[in-house]
Amino acid sequence: MKRGDLVLISVVLAAALIFLVPRWLDGKDSEKNHNNPLTATITVDGQLFKTVELTEEEQIIEIKTDHGMNILKVYDYGIEMIEADCPDKVCLSFGFVDKKNQSIVCLPHKVLVEVEGASGGESQDEVDAVVN
């Protein structure tokens, strides 16, 4: 191995660590927040359907209305839309949400899932981005 090869390997390893360390630290912060779990508020056509605590245990929530059917899955302190019979299935692309102020929306079925802080918990609003 030449000196240039060692420099290249060092740069690649340093770049990998730069991307991995924030994810590792974020995982540690989320473990602390499980003492004050989040909740998900599910509304259908503007009316409250159900409020569910986001826990580690798996829960399946079926929403059947005149508009259609959606299935939500709660697990690992988050929630995800896993099935829907709407034509476009955009709601399935929201994926797993586990942070405050994230949401899942199914427009054809008029379903809205909003992640909120637990009642009585302290607010931990974070800035997502700053635009100049």
Side-chain angles (χ1 to χ4, degrees):
M1 273 197 189
K2 296 183 181 179
R3 183 176 174 193
D5 295 334
L6 292 175
V7 170
L8 180 63
I9 291 170
S10 299
V11 169
V12 169
L13 287 175
L17 286 175
I18 288 172
F19 289 107
L20 291 177
V21 169
R23 288 180 183 239
W24 178 72
L25 290 175
D26 187 41
K28 295 294 182 188
D29 290 340
S30 64
E31 285 177 12
K32 288 188 274 184
N33 291 334
H34 297 314
N35 296 334
N36 190 13
L38 299 173
T39 59
T41 302
I42 304 165
T43 57
V44 178
D45 203 10
Q47 301 296 318
L48 180 64
F49 177 79
K50 186 174 187 177
T51 301
V52 62
E53 186 174 319
L54 302 182
T55 60
E56 186 175 20
E57 294 80 30
E58 186 176 303
Q59 302 174 52
I60 301 294
I61 302 165
E62 290 187 28
I63 304 169
K64 293 181 182 177
T65 66
D66 296 338
H67 305 294
M69 187 264 312
N70 296 75
I71 298 178
L72 295 163
K73 182 177 178 183
V74 175
Y75 63 100
D76 291 337
Y77 302 101
I79 190 166
E80 179 178 15
M81 182 87 64
I82 60 171
E83 193 174 324
D85 63 359
C86 55
D88 57 6
K89 300 199 186 312
V90 172
C91 53
L92 301 178
S93 68
F94 284 85
F96 181 76
V97 295
D98 62 347
K99 292 181 178 49
K100 188 175 175 184
N101 297 328
Q102 289 182 323
S103 60
I104 301 171
V105 180
C106 182
L107 288 177
H109 296 168
K110 301 179 182 180
V111 174
L112 173 64
V113 181
E114 296 176 291
V115 178
E116 302 170 344
S119 59
E122 60 186 54
S123 175
Q124 295 183 353
D125 292 333
E126 296 179 12
V127 176
D128 288 339
V130 176
V131 179
N132 291 325

